[in-house]
């Protein structure tokens, strides 16, 4: 049985708006990097610092059985693909 959405579908875009979107995406300069993808190097360094501390601290807190179970779950997820 098909799922029925309770939300009303948005009205289709105007043809001119759709054409403008297509032209913009087709003519976008590929050599220019997106502003969204640039990262603040200071924020990257802070995140890395926290990650380097967090993993070993979490491993130290877990029991051997908990670590084995996490490893089993990860292996199942990898092999499921």
């Amino acid at each position: 049985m098909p799922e029925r959405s309770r939300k009303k579908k948005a009205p289709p875009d105007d043809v001119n708006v759709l054409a403008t979107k297509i032209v913009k995406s087709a003519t976008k300069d590929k050599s220019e990097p997106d502003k969204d993808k640039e990262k603040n190097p200071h924020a990257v360094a802070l995140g890395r610092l926290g990650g380097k501390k967090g993993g070993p601290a979490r491993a130290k807190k877990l029991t051997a059985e908990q670590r084995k179970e996490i490893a089993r779950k990860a292996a199942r997820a990898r092999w499921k693909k």
Side-chain angles (χ1 to χ4, degrees):
M1 180 172 195
E3 292 183 21
R4 295 183 182 151
S5 175
R6 292 181 186 200
K7 295 179 183 178
K8 292 183 180 181
K9 293 185 179 180
D13 285 339
D14 182 32
V15 176
N16 294 324
V17 174
L18 182 59
T20 304
K21 288 179 183 178
I22 293 171
V23 170
K24 281 185 178 180
S25 67
T27 59
K28 186 177 179 182
D29 186 12
K30 304 291 187 219
S31 64
E32 184 179 312
D34 290 340
K35 295 290 181 189
D36 298 336
K37 293 185 180 180
E38 293 178 11
K39 294 184 178 182
N40 181 342
H42 298 292
V44 171
L46 280 174
R48 179 167 167 73
L49 182 63
K52 288 177 84 171
K53 289 180 181 177
R58 179 173 184 246
K60 193 182 290 185
K61 182 175 77 170
L62 296 171
T63 65
E65 185 57 40
Q66 288 173 325
R67 286 194 305 272
K68 286 180 190 176
E69 185 56 38
I70 291 169
R72 281 189 203 111
K73 185 177 177 182
R76 278 190 226 114
R78 284 193 303 269
W79 284 97
K80 189 176 184 178
K81 293 179 185 177

